[in-house]
C-alpha cells in the first residue's frame, strides 16, 4: 500500500465531506428552528444542481453567476415552502413527513419530465490535477471544496456573529423563551428555511461540474444527510460539520475497501447511533 | 346501528366475491387482485401508524415475507403452503426482535430509523445469489400449489385467494383498532408524553401491534410473489412505503375506512391515467398536499362533512338547537 | 349509523361506482384512438424521408378485403435511468413500423394489415410490467410486445408465454431466455459479442496489455456481464481480475478509482456502464483519469450522444469503444442514412443500439409479410430460423448455441472505435469468433 493510496482517498473524502456538510447543515438548521425534518431536502439539492445545469450547460451562463442565481432561487423556494406548506403543518411530525413526501414526488417527477431521466453533465469548470507525493488530486474537487468552505464560513459568521443569527440560535434552543425575549418567530422561521434551502441548492450547484445532475440524486443525498445529522447530533452545527467529514471519509475509504457493500454504511450508522446514543456525538438532550 | 353496518359490510363482501362471475375480462380481475394486495399492505401499515409509529420499513417486511417464501419454494422445492407461513412468521419474528429494541424510540427518530432499515433490507437482499437470486432476484416463481384440491393457477382463483386474505387482514385491523387498547391510542395518537403517563403497558401493546402489522406485511409480500411470479430487490423499497403513507393521507389518516378509500381511489386514478403514467406522481403529490393542508381528514373527512351538511340542511323544519 | 346516513352513503357509493365504471370503460377506448392518431402522424413525417430508406420500389398492395390494423405494443421503461436505451429502442421500432407501412403494411395470408402501435411505460417495475402485459394481451390482443428490460421483463413473461405472444426484449439475461420461454427474443448484440469487439481490438493494437478489471453497477444483468467478460478475456488470452460492483445510487466514482487502480490493471473495462447507466461513463472516465489512471479504458456499451463532449479532450485518449462516428471510413451508407434520419426527426443523435434494434425490428416486419397465418406459434418457430442482411454488411443470424442460456439473441458484427486525443476514430472492422455462437 503506497502513501498515495492512503492520502488520496483521505483528501478526496475531506473535500467531498465539505459538500456533505453544506447539505446536512441546511437540514439541521431547518430542523432546529422549525422542529420539522424536511425530507424533501435532497430534492432542493437536486433543483440547485439542475438550475446550474440549465443556466451554465444549456445557456452557457458563467458558472459562478449561475451558481449565485441558483442559490437565490432555492432560497426563494425555501421561503415559499415555509410559508405555504410547512407553516400550516404547525410542527406536526406526521403532516411534515407527508407534505415532504408530496414535495419529493412533485419535484422528482417534474425534473424527470423537464430534463429526462438520465444524468446530465456539464463541461468541467476547472480542468487538471495536482500531484502531492504520489497522490493525484483533481483541481475541480479542490475548487468545490474551497467554495463549500467559503459558504460554511459565511453561514458560521451569520449564525454566531450577527444579531439575526443569534436570534436563530435562541429559537433553536427554546422557542417559547425566545418569543418571550421579543424575537419574532414568524420572521426567524422563514429565515431558517431560506438559509437551509439555499445551502442545499448551493451544494447541488457546487457538485454539478464534478458529478452530474439527475432527477433521482436527491434520495442518496437525503440518506447521507440524515446519517450525518444523526451521527453529529440533531440540531448541532459543529455536529453536522464533524459528521459530514466522517461520512465523507467513510464513503471514500468504504467504497475502496468494501466496495459495493459500502452503500449500507450510512444506514448502519443511523441505526447504531439511534440505538445506543440517541443524541449523537455532539447533540443536546432531546 | 351495528346490524346495519354488518349488513352493509356483508353486502359489500358478497359483491366483491361476485366480481369474477360478472367480469370476464382477465385484465381487470388481475388489476383488482393487485388492489387487494395494496389494501392489505396499506391497512396493516396504517395499524402501526395508529400507535404513533410511522414504519417506513413496512415494504421491507413485505420483502422479507416474499423473499423467504419464494426462496423456499424455488431453491428448496418446498410446497408453497408450507413456505407461506414460514415467510410470514420470519417477517413477524424479525419484527418482534426489532420491535423490542427500536420501539422505545419514538416520533421523528423512529421514522428516520425506519428509513435506514428500509435501505438496509433492500441492499441486503441484493447480496446473495443463492438463495435470494442476488440482483436478479427470484424469477419464474410458480403459482401457489393446490389447496385442498383446488387448483390455484388461474387468475380468478388467485383473485379469490388474495381477496380472502385481504378481508381477513381488514377485519383483524378493525378489531384491534376498536379494541379497548386501541381506544387509548385513538385518544393520544402521536403524543408520546401522554403515553408515558398512561403506563408501561403501552410498550407491550406497541410491540404487539407492530408485530401483527409486520406479519400482515409479510403475508402481503408472499401474495405479491404469487401475483407477479417475481421478486427483485427493487420491488419493496422506501418509495413503496411512502405510497402507503400517501394512500392513508388521501383517504383519511385517523379513521378506519381512510386507508382503504385512499388506496382504491389512487389505484383507480392510476389506472385511468396509465397512458400518461409519467404525470401520475405529480397529480398524486398535488392531491396529497391538498389532502393534508386543505381538506383535512382526507376523502373520508370530505364524505363526513358532506353527510353532515346534508343532514344539517334537511333539518330546517326541526327546532333549531342553540349553539353552545 | 342512522337510516338517513346509510341511505346517503349508499347513494354516494352508487354514484361513485357508476362514474368509476364509466371512466374505466372510456379510458380503454381513448387508448386505441391515440394509437390511430400516432400512426397517421408518423406516416406523414416518413413520407418525405422514405426515399432513401427503401431500396425496393414501394409496392402498393391491393388486398382482396379492406385493410385491417395490426397493433403492436411497446412496453419499456421510459421514466427511469434506463431511458437512454429504451427511448432508442422505442424509436427504432416506431421507425421500422412506419417504414413497413410506407411499403404497404404487411400481408398475412392474403389479408393486408396496417401496423399500429401502443406505447406504455413500465417504470422499470415488476408489478406495473405485469399489469401492462395483461392489458396488452387480454384487452388490446396484441401478438407482439417490444421493449422490456432485464429488470421488469421477467414479470411480463408468464403472461406473454402462456398466451403465445412474442416478446422482443431490450437487454438479455439468461433467466429470461431459457428454453421454457421460446417466445422471448432479443434484438441486439449479446454481452459476449460486445466484449469480443473491444478485446479483439485491444489484443491487436495494444499487445502488451494483459490485466483487465471490470466495473459495473448493481443491476440484474451483472452476472451475465461478468460471465461474458470472463469468457472473452479467456478467449483472447487476457487476465481477468474480476468484476467490481458499485451501487446504482453512487454519485462519486473517485473512491472506486482507487479500488480499481489497486489491481494495477492495463485495462479498466466499463462493461455495460453505457446503456442504462448512460451518462455515468463520462463521469467515470473523467474521474479515473483525474485519479491518475493512464491505461486503457474500454466501453463496450455506449453513452448517450454528447456526454463524452463534457469530458476534457486530454482525458479522451486510449478509450476503446463500440460508439460509432458515422463519418468513419468503414461505416456503411445504410447505417449513416438511418442515423441521419433519426437526427432529422428527433433533433439529436441516436446511440448505436438504435441501429441494431431497427435492424432487427424491420427484419421482423419484413418477415411478417411472408407469413401465411396469424398463428403466433408459427411466427415464433419461423422467425427463429430467419436470416437477413444487417446494416453492418454481414448476415444477421440467430445465436445457435445457448450462451449462458441465451438462445434467441441476434448475432451481428460490430465495428470498433477508439478515442484518440478527443477524436473518435471509427476505422476498424473486427473479426469476431462467430464459431463461439453460431451452431453449424
Amino acid at each position: 500500500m503506497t502513501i498515495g493510496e492512503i492520502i488520496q482517498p483521505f483528501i478526496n473524502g475531506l473535500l467531498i465531506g465539505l459538500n456533505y456538510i453544506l447539505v446536512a447543515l441546511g437540514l439541521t438548521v431547518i430542523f432546529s428552528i422549525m422542529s420539522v425534518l424536511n425530507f424533501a431536502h435532497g430534492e432542493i439539492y437536486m433543483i440547485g444542481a439542475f438550475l446550474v445545469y440549465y443556466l451554465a450547460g444549456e445557456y452557457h451562463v458563467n458558472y459562478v453567476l449561475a451558481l449565485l442565481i441558483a442559490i437565490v432561487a432555492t432560497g426563494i423556494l425555501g421561503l415559499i415552502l415555509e410559508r405555504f406548506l410547512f407553516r400550516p403543518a404547525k410542527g406536526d411530525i406526521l403532516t411534515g413527513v407527508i407534505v415532504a413526501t408530496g414535495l419529493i414526488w412533485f419535484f422528482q417527477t417534474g425534473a424527470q419530465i423537464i430534463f429526462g431521466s438520465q444524468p446530465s453533465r456539464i463541461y468541467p469548470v476547472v480542468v487538471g490535477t495536482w500531484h502531492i507525493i504520489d497522490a493525484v488530486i483533481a483541481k475541480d474537487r479542490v475548487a468545490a471544496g474551497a467554495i463549500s468552505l467559503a459558504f460554511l464560513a459565511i453561514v458560521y459568521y451569520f449564525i454566531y456573529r450577527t444579531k439575526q443569527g443569534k436570534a436563530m440560535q435562541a429559537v433553536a434552543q427554546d422557542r417559547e423563551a425566545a418569543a418571550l425575549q421579543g424575537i419574532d418567530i414568524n420572521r426567524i422561521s422563514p429565515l431558517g428555511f431560506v438559509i437551509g434551502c439555499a445551502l442545499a441548492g448551493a451544494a447541488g450547484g457546487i457538485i454539478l461540474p464534478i458529478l452530474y445532475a439527475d432527477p433521482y440524486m436527491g434520495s442518496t443525498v437525503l440518506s447521507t444527510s440524515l446519517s450525518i445529522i444523526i451521527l453529529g447530533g440533531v440540531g448541532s452545527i459543529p455536529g453536522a460539520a464533524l459528521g459530514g467529514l466522517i461520512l465523507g471519509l467513510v464513503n471514500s475509504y468504504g467504497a475502496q475497501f468494501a466496495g459495493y457493500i459500502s452503500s449500507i454504511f450510512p444506514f448502519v450508522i443511523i441505526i447504531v447511533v439511534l440505538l445506543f446514543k440517541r443524541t449523537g456525538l455532539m447533540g443536546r438532550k432531546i | 346501528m351495528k346490524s346495519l353496518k354488518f349488513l352493509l359490510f356483508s353486502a359489500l363482501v358478497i359483491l366483491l366475491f361476485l366480481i369474477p362471475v360478472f367480469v370476464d375480462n382477465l385484465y381487470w380481475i388481475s388489476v383488482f387482485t393487485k388492489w387487494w394486495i395494496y389494501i392489505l399492505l396499506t391497512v396493516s401499515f396504517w395499524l402501526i401508524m395508529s400507535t404513533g409509529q410511522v414504519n417506513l420499513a413496512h415494504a421491507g417486511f413485505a420483502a422479507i415475507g416474499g423473499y423467504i417464501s419464494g426462496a423456499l419454494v424455488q431453491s428448496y422445492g418446498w410446497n408453497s403452503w408450507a413456505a407461506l407461513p414460514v415467510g410470514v412468521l420470519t417477517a413477524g419474528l424479525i419484527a418482534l426482535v426489532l420491535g423490542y429494541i427500536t420501539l422505545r424510540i419514538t416520533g421523528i427518530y423512529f421514522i428516520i430509523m425506519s428509513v435506514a432499515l428500509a435501505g438496509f433490507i433492500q441492499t441486503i437482499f441484493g447480496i446473495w445469489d443463492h438463495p435470494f437470486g442476488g440482483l436478479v432476484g427470484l424469477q419464474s416463481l410458480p403459482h401457489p400449489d393446490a389447496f385442498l384440491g383446488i387448483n390455484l393457477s388461474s387468475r380468478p382463483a388467485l383473485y379469490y385467494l388474495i381477496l380472502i386474505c385481504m378481508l381477513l387482514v381488514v377485519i383483524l385491523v378493525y378489531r384491534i383498532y376498536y379494541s379497548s387498547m386501541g381506544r387509548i391510542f385513538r385518544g393520544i395518537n402521536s403524543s408520546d408524553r401522554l403515553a408515558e403517563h398512561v403506563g408501561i403497558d403501552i410498550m407491550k401493546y406497541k410491540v404487539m401491534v407492530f408485530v401483527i402489522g409486520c406479519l400482515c406485511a409479510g403475508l402481503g409480500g408472499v401474495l405479491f410473489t404469487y401475483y407477479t411470479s417475481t421478486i427483485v430487490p427493487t420491488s419493496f423499497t422506501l418509495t413503496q412505503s411512502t405510497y402507503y403513507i400517501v394512500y392513508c393521507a388521501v383517504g383519511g389518516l385517523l379513521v378506519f375506512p381512510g386507508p382503504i378509500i385512499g388506496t382504491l381511489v389512487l389505484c383507480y386514478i392510476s389506472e385511468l391515467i396509465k397512458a400518461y403514467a409519467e404525470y401520475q406522481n405529480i397529480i398524486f403529490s398535488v392531491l396529497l398536499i391538498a389532502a393534508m393542508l386543505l381538506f383535512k381528514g382526507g376523502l373520508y373527512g370530505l364524505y363526513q362533512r358532506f353527510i353532515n351538511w346534508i343532514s344539517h340542511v334537511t333539518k330546517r323544519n326541526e327546532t333549531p338547537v342553540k349553539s353552545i | 349509523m342512522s337510516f338517513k346516513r346509510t341511505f346517503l352513503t349508499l347513494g354516494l357509493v352508487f354514484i361513485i361506482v357508476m362514474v368509476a365504471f364509466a371512466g374505466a370503460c372510456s379510458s380503454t377506448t381513448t387508448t386505441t384512438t391515440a394509437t390511430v392518431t400516432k400512426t397517421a402522424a408518423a406516416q406523414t413525417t416518413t413520407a418525405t424521408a422514405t426515399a432513401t430508406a427503401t431500396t425496393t420500389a414501394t409496392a402498393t398492395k391491393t388486398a382482396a378485403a379492406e385493410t385491417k390494423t395490426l397493433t403492436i405494443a411497446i412496453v419499456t421503461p421510459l421514466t427511469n435511468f434506463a431511458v437512454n436505451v429504451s427511448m432508442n429502442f422505442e424509436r427504432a421500432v416506431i421507425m421500422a413500423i412506419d417504414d413497413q407501412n410506407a411499403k404497404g403494411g404487411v400481408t398475412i395470408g392474403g389479408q393486408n394489415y396496417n401496423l399500429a402501435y401502443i406505447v406504455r411505460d413500465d417504470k422499470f417495475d415488476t408489478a406495473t410490467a405485469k399489469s401492462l402485459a395483461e392489458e396488452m394481451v387480454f384487452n388490446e390482443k396484441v401478438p407482439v410486445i417490444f421493449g422490456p428490460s432485464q429488470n421488469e421483463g421477467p414479470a411480463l413473461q408468464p403472461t406473454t408465454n402462456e398466451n403465445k405472444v412474442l416478446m422482443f426484449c431490450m437487454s438479455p439475461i439468461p433467466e429470461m431466455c431459457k428454453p421454457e420461454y421460446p417466445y422471448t427474443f432479443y434484438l441486439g448484440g449479446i454481452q459476449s459479442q460486445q466484449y469480443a469487439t473491444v478485446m479483439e481490438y485491444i489484443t491487436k493494437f495494444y499487445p502488451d496489455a494483459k490485466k483487465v478489471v471490470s466495473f459495473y453497477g448493481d443491476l440484474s444483468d451483472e452476472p451475465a456481464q461478468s460471465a461474458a467478460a470472463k469468457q472473452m478475456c479467456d478467449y483472447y488470452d487476457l487476465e481477468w481480475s474480476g468484476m467490481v460492483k458499485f451501487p446504482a445510487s453512487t454519485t462519486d466514482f473517485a473512491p472506486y478509482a482507487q479500488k480499481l487502480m489497486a489491481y494495477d490493471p492495463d485495462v479498466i473495462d466499463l462493461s455495460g456502464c453505457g446503456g442504462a447507466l448512460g451518462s455515468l461513463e463520462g463521469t467515470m472516465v473523467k474521474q479515473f483519469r483525474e485519479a491518475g489512471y493512464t491505461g486503457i479504458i474500454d466501453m463496450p456499451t455506449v453513452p448517450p450522444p454528447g456526454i463524452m463532449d463534457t469530458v476534457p479532450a486530454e482525458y479522451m485518449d486510449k478509450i476503446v469503444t463500440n460508439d460509432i462516428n458515422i463519418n468513419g471510413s468503414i461505416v456503411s451508407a445504410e447505417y449513416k442514412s438511418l442515423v441521419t434520419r433519426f437526427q432529422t426527426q428527433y433533433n439529436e443523435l441516436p446511440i448505436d443500439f438504435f441501429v441494431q434494434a431497427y435492424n432487427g425490428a424491420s427484419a421482423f416486419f419484413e418477415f411478417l409479410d411472408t407469413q401465411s397465418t396469424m398463428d403466433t406459434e408459427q411466427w415464433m418457430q419461423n422467425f427463429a430460423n430467419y436470416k437477413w442482411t444487417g446494416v453492418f454488411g454481414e448476415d444477421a443470424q440467430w445465436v445457435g448455441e445457448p450462451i449462458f442460456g441465451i438462445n434467441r439473441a441476434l448475432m451481428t458484427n460490430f465495428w470498433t472505435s477508439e478515442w484518440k486525443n478527443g477524436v473518435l476514430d471509427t476505422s476498424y472492422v473486427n473479426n469476431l469468433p462467430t464459431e463461439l455462437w453460431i451452431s453449424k
Side-chain angles (χ1 to χ4, degrees):
Chain A
M1 181 136 341
T2 69
I3 304 272
E5 275 174 37
I6 302 189
I7 302 184
Q8 196 161 324
F10 185 77
I11 301 181
N12 279 332
L14 288 183
L15 290 173
I16 211 83
L18 287 171
N19 194 268
Y20 290 167
I21 297 178
L22 271 187
V23 194
L25 195 61
L27 192 60
T28 212
V29 161
I30 295 177
F31 186 80
S32 60
I33 291 184
M34 290 198 69
S35 298
V36 121
L37 192 66
N38 179 17
F39 274 97
H41 201 67
E43 309 310 310
I44 313 281
Y45 173 92
M46 184 263 290
I47 290 175
F50 267 117
L51 278 174
V52 177
Y53 165 76
Y54 192 64
L55 293 168
E58 306 251 337
Y59 288 102
H60 305 290
V61 173
N62 175 278
Y63 172 74
V64 177
L65 184 60
L67 185 61
L68 289 173
I69 296 177
I71 294 174
V72 169
T74 42
I76 296 176
L77 180 65
L79 202 63
I80 298 174
L81 291 180
E82 191 274 336
R83 178 68 186 83
F84 295 107
L85 291 176
F86 286 100
R87 202 186 294 187
K90 293 196 192 84
D92 177 34
I93 298 173
L94 192 56
T95 315
V97 169
I98 296 176
V99 166
T101 304
L103 282 175
I104 293 176
W105 285 12
F106 186 79
F107 289 134
Q108 224 176 63
T109 320
Q112 204 170 276
I113 292 174
I114 300 177
F115 293 106
S117 297
Q118 50 190 3
S120 307
R121 281 186 52 86
I122 64 173
Y123 196 83
V125 183
V126 186
V127 181
T129 56
W130 277 314
H131 292 255
I132 303 177
I133 317 180
D134 61 336
V136 185
I137 306 295
K139 282 185 187 169
D140 63 356
R141 276 181 198 260
V142 176
I147 302 179
S148 304
L149 202 57
F151 278 113
L152 285 173
I154 295 176
V155 173
Y156 175 85
Y157 179 80
F158 179 81
I159 292 186
Y160 288 106
R161 295 291 152 88
T162 66
K163 203 170 107 172
Q164 293 283 60
K166 290 191 183 164
M168 280 171 66
Q169 286 183 64
V171 172
Q173 280 171 20
D174 191 333
R175 217 175 156 88
E176 279 147 21
L180 284 172
Q181 292 281 327
I183 296 176
D184 186 359
I185 306 274
N186 281 336
R187 278 262 166 88
I188 297 296
S189 289
L191 187 62
F193 230 88
V194 167
I195 293 180
C197 289
L199 281 171
I206 292 173
I207 212 71
L208 173 70
I210 300 179
L211 301 177
Y212 48 81
D214 85 280
Y216 311 108
M217 65 199 298
S219 49
T220 326
V221 169
L222 182 68
S223 309
T224 315
S225 306
L226 284 176
S227 194
I228 293 173
I229 67 175
I230 295 285
L231 179 64
V234 182
S236 157
I237 291 179
L242 185 60
L245 291 177
I246 295 179
L247 251 295
L249 291 172
V250 163
N251 279 342
S252 201
Y253 283 118
Q256 183 180 352
F257 293 112
Y260 160 72
I261 308 257
S262 66
S263 64
I264 237 177
F265 292 159
F267 302 132
V268 172
I269 289 177
I270 292 179
I271 296 176
V272 166
V273 171
L274 282 179
L275 287 181
F276 293 108
K277 191 174 192 301
R278 202 188 308 177
T279 51
L281 291 173
M282 297 175 99
R284 307 181 306 248
K285 278 224 167 29
I286 314 280
Chain B
M1 290 163 65
K2 248 193 167 163
S3 57
L4 211 61
K5 257 191 191 170
F6 183 70
L7 216 68
L8 216 70
F9 181 67
S10 321
L12 198 66
V13 169
I14 294 177
L15 208 73
L16 292 178
F17 271 91
L18 286 178
I19 287 181
V21 175
F22 292 113
V23 178
D24 60 351
N25 184 317
L26 288 176
Y27 167 66
W28 277 105
I29 293 186
S30 219
V31 168
F32 291 141
T33 311
K34 180 170 66 164
W35 290 5
W36 307 153
I37 300 180
Y38 280 134
I39 292 182
L40 194 159
L41 289 167
T42 311
V43 150
S44 50
F45 169 84
W46 176 83
L47 179 69
I48 302 179
M49 193 165 73
S50 70
T51 63
Q53 313 282 140
V54 179
N55 179 25
L56 287 177
H58 203 69
F61 285 98
I64 294 176
Y67 259 111
I68 300 279
S69 114
L72 286 172
V73 168
Q74 189 165 83
S75 305
Y76 300 109
W78 282 35
N79 181 291
S80 44
W81 292 105
L84 186 151
V86 175
V88 174
L89 286 173
T90 313
L93 203 69
I94 295 179
L96 185 65
V97 171
L98 285 180
Y100 263 114
I101 305 175
T102 63
L103 282 169
R104 52 190 171 86
I105 301 168
T106 53
I108 195 72
Y109 298 97
F110 183 79
I111 299 181
I112 297 178
M113 163 99 77
S114 65
V115 168
L117 192 62
F120 186 82
I121 293 179
Q122 184 187 343
T123 318
I124 283 282
F125 276 120
I127 295 180
W128 299 289
D129 282 333
H130 185 85
F132 295 126
L135 300 165
V136 180
L138 299 171
Q139 318 284 358
S140 327
L141 291 169
H143 295 292
D145 294 310
F147 186 73
L148 301 177
I150 307 176
N151 181 294
L152 287 169
S153 54
S154 70
R155 282 178 177 80
L158 202 63
Y159 171 95
Y160 283 121
L161 171 67
I162 294 180
L163 176 63
I164 293 172
C165 291
M166 182 271 276
L167 289 172
L168 287 174
V169 168
V170 165
I171 295 173
L172 176 69
V173 169
Y174 180 85
R175 300 286 299 178
I176 295 180
Y177 187 67
Y178 285 107
S179 70
S180 47
M181 277 308 252
R183 204 177 304 141
I184 298 182
F185 276 92
R186 273 182 282 141
I188 56 179
N189 239 324
S190 42
S191 166
D192 288 296
R193 293 237 184 92
L194 198 44
E196 282 170 30
H197 290 301
V198 176
I200 43 172
D201 273 320
I202 298 290
M203 184 60 182
K204 272 206 186 125
Y205 183 78
K206 265 192 189 179
V207 174
M208 187 183 82
V209 166
F210 185 70
V211 170
I212 292 176
C214 291
L215 282 170
C216 296
L219 177 63
V222 177
L223 295 177
F224 181 84
T225 62
Y226 294 162
Y227 171 71
T228 54
S229 313
T230 63
I231 182 164
V232 296
T234 49
S235 299
F236 287 108
T237 58
L238 176 65
T239 311
Q240 276 296 319
S241 296
T242 57
Y243 270 98
Y244 309 149
I245 282 200
V246 172
Y247 295 152
C248 289
V250 170
L253 271 177
L254 304 172
V255 282
F256 177 72
I260 303 177
I261 295 177
T263 314
L264 285 174
V265 168
L266 289 183
C267 282
Y268 175 73
I269 293 181
S270 163
E271 272 302 311
L272 272 185
I273 60 175
K274 62 191 173 214
Y276 305 102
E278 61 208 57
Y279 298 101
Q280 177 196 297
N281 277 4
I282 283 204
I283 297 177
F284 280 12
S285 64
V286 170
L287 281 176
L288 180 66
I289 294 183
M292 289 314 291
L293 300 176
L294 292 179
F295 48 100
K296 303 257 174 75
L299 290 171
Y300 190 74
L302 268 183
Y303 151 77
Q304 276 188 320
R305 269 191 256 171
F306 174 70
I307 298 279
N308 284 337
W309 176 72
I310 297 250
S311 304
H312 186 70
V313 158
T314 53
K315 270 198 173 109
R316 258 176 306 196
N317 39 348
E318 292 173 24
T319 353
V321 178
K322 279 227 172 74
S323 52
I324 304 160
Chain C
M1 209 201 279
S2 70
F3 254 144
K4 191 188 262 177
R5 271 208 162 182
T6 323
F7 202 63
L8 283 167
T9 315
L10 279 175
L12 209 64
V13 170
F14 183 72
I15 295 176
I16 291 176
V17 170
M18 284 298 113
V19 169
F21 193 64
C25 291
S26 57
S27 85
T28 340
T29 35
T30 26
T31 326
T32 356
T33 351
T35 319
V36 174
T37 358
K38 262 191 174 153
T39 13
Q43 275 193 311
T44 34
T45 26
T46 38
T48 42
T50 326
T52 35
T54 43
T55 43
T56 53
T58 43
T60 33
K61 313 247 166 133
T62 39
E66 56 171 78
T67 306
K68 290 192 187 170
T69 308
L70 183 63
T71 310
I72 307 288
I74 303 177
V75 175
T76 192
L78 291 171
T79 52
N80 189 269
F81 56 78
V83 71
N84 176 32
V85 188
S86 56
M87 192 172 63
N88 277 273
F89 193 94
E90 179 205 357
R91 291 173 175 178
V93 176
I94 291 176
M95 199 180 271
I97 289 179
D98 291 343
D99 286 353
Q100 188 68 34
N101 281 339
K103 285 191 250 175
V106 298
T107 305
I108 302 176
Q111 169 66 53
N112 185 232
Y113 292 93
N114 198 40
L115 294 172
Y117 58 89
I118 303 177
V119 181
R120 283 284 182 268
D121 173 19
D122 64 24
K123 303 190 205 156
F124 215 62
D125 172 56
T126 48
T128 318
K130 180 191 160 82
S131 249
L132 286 172
E134 288 167 337
E135 187 195 346
M136 293 298 120
V137 171
F138 298 132
N139 285 2
E140 306 290 343
K141 311 235 189 316
V142 299
V144 181
I145 297 183
F146 283 91
S149 83
Q150 78 278 13
N151 194 59
E152 78 290 355
L156 291 124
Q157 279 182 308
T159 313
T160 55
N161 217 52
E162 271 165 19
N163 295 283
K164 302 194 178 162
V165 170
L166 280 81
M167 194 166 101
F168 291 93
C169 328
M170 185 168 95
S171 40
I173 51 173
E175 288 76 6
M176 283 175 74
C177 302
K178 294 190 282 216
E180 298 94 85
Y181 292 123
Y183 288 90
T184 305
F185 293 80
Y186 167 62
L187 287 182
I190 56 177
Q191 284 93 350
S192 43
Q193 270 180 269
Q194 294 164 336
Y195 286 92
T197 59
V198 294
M199 278 160 196
E200 198 246 348
Y201 183 97
I202 290 173
T203 50
K204 182 163 167 118
F205 291 98
Y206 293 99
D208 296 330
K210 279 287 157 210
K211 215 164 186 218
V212 179
V213 67
S214 296
F215 191 55
Y216 192 48
D218 61 347
L219 297 182
S220 51
D221 58 341
E222 182 271 320
Q225 299 280 356
S226 291
K230 180 170 195 319
Q231 187 200 35
M232 284 301 115
C233 280
D234 288 344
Y235 184 84
Y236 286 107
D237 214 13
L238 297 167
E239 195 193 311
W240 192 61
S241 308
M243 170 71 80
V244 173
K245 281 193 299 187
F246 61 90
S249 58
T250 300
T251 48
D252 189 4
F253 295 99
Y256 288 99
Q258 296 291 135
K259 192 170 171 69
L260 290 169
M261 282 162 56
Y263 287 90
D264 198 21
D266 301 305
V267 182
I268 291 184
D269 164 50
L270 293 186
S271 317
C273 285
L277 294 174
S279 316
L280 299 186
E281 273 183 341
T283 310
M284 284 175 202
V285 167
K286 171 177 172 288
Q287 292 186 350
F288 293 166
R289 291 281 185 237
E290 278 171 350
Y293 178 69
T294 51
I296 303 168
I297 300 178
D298 79 68
M299 310 193 314
T301 49
V302 302
I307 283 300
M308 296 326 269
D309 296 335
T310 61
V311 182
E314 64 232 52
Y315 298 151
M316 295 299 295
D317 191 52
K318 286 214 222 134
I319 301 184
V320 181
T321 172
N322 287 320
D323 201 354
I324 291 178
N325 179 345
I326 59 169
N327 296 313
S329 49
I330 52 166
V331 179
S332 69
E334 205 186 338
Y335 189 99
K336 243 192 201 171
S337 95
L338 271 174
V339 170
T340 321
R341 278 178 67 194
F342 184 102
Q343 198 169 11
T344 322
Q345 192 168 346
Y346 296 107
N347 236 351
E348 56 184 19
L349 283 170
I351 59 173
D352 174 63
F353 181 65
F354 159 77
V355 177
Q356 297 170 45
Y358 174 87
N359 199 23
S362 60
F364 177 72
F365 296 128
E366 276 171 20
F367 154 84
L368 269 190
D369 209 22
T370 69
Q371 292 303 289
S372 50
T373 76
M374 290 295 282
D375 180 1
T376 49
E377 192 171 349
Q378 288 286 312
W379 292 5
M380 178 268 289
Q381 281 163 0
N382 294 340
F383 192 56
N385 298 314
Y386 194 69
K387 290 192 158 94
W388 66 97
T389 309
V391 291
F392 295 93
E394 297 277 329
D395 278 341
Q397 314 169 66
W398 290 107
V399 164
E401 292 300 324
I403 304 281
F404 323 116
I406 298 174
N407 64 348
R408 297 288 197 178
L410 176 62
M411 214 290 294
T412 59
N413 220 338
F414 288 142
W415 304 310
T416 314
S417 312
E418 186 184 350
W419 285 94
K420 298 174 180 166
N421 277 318
V423 179
L424 184 62
D425 173 27
T426 304
S427 52
Y428 184 69
V429 182
N430 47 48
N431 303 301
L432 290 187
T434 56
E435 72 277 5
L436 278 183
W437 303 300
I438 308 296
S439 58
K440 296 287 182 276

